[in-house]
Amino acid sequence: QVQLLESGGGLVQAGDSLRLSCAASKLTIKTFAMGWFRQAPGKVREFVAHINDNGGLTHYADSVKGRFTISRDNAKNTVYLQMNSLKPEDTATYYCASSRGAYGTPSDQSYRYWGQGTQVTVSL
């Protein structure tokens, strides 16, 4: 079955950087937009970033704009989330998802397949 496997999470200090990866199997992602979402304990899942099928269009939540960068390597069937200047409020489980079409949206309803998530914890 389709699998999205996130990696790269961890425990870091405020101001540090992390790079998350999302590798897809049994799914060729080059025709689909991809997104990153996150969910903190006790909170609803929220949109972080999305990127269209060819990587030419990206969109970010205001809370991460200027600090996070989403990118993709279709040849490697992988999507990335570079996270810089991390803050304690970025602490969450981060999920990647593949969209139902070529263009992403901030709505999780637009995404068909989801990974299991990778934990990011940012301490002061």
Side-chain angles (χ1 to χ4, degrees), residues 25-97:
S25 62
K26 300 292 179 65
L27 175 72
T28 301
I29 69 168
K30 65 180 181 180
T31 59
F32 300 104
M34 300 293 292
W36 285 96
F37 292 76
R38 67 187 182 186
Q39 186 168 19
K43 295 187 176 182
V44 298
R45 184 167 59 191
E46 64 173 3
F47 164 74
V48 175
H50 67 69
I51 186 167
N52 75 320
D53 57 346
N54 66 13
L57 293 174
T58 58
H59 181 65
Y60 300 90
D62 288 344
S63 58
V64 306
K65 200 172 295 183
R67 299 187 298 121
F68 289 13
T69 302
I70 188 171
S71 62
R72 64 192 297 158
D73 185 337
N74 286 342
K76 294 183 178 180
N77 224 28
T78 301
V79 179
Y80 306 97
L81 185 69
Q82 177 68 43
M83 305 186 296
N84 298 330
S85 303
L86 282 160
K87 304 175 181 180
E89 51 263 44
D90 294 318
T91 295
T93 301
Y94 284 71
Y95 299 91
C96 77

Side-chain angles (χ1 to χ4, degrees), residues 4-11 18-23 35-41 48 79-81 83 86 90-97 114-122:
L4 300 177
L5 182 62
E6 302 97 335
S7 62
L11 172 63
L18 279 175
R19 189 194 196 203
L20 305 184
S21 299
C22 171
W36 285 96
F37 292 76
R38 67 187 182 186
Q39 186 168 19
V48 175
V79 179
Y80 306 97
L81 185 69
M83 305 186 296
L86 282 160
D90 294 318
T91 295
T93 301
Y94 284 71
Y95 299 91
C96 77
W114 293 81
Q116 293 299 306
T118 185
Q119 178 66 36
V120 172
T121 303
V122 184

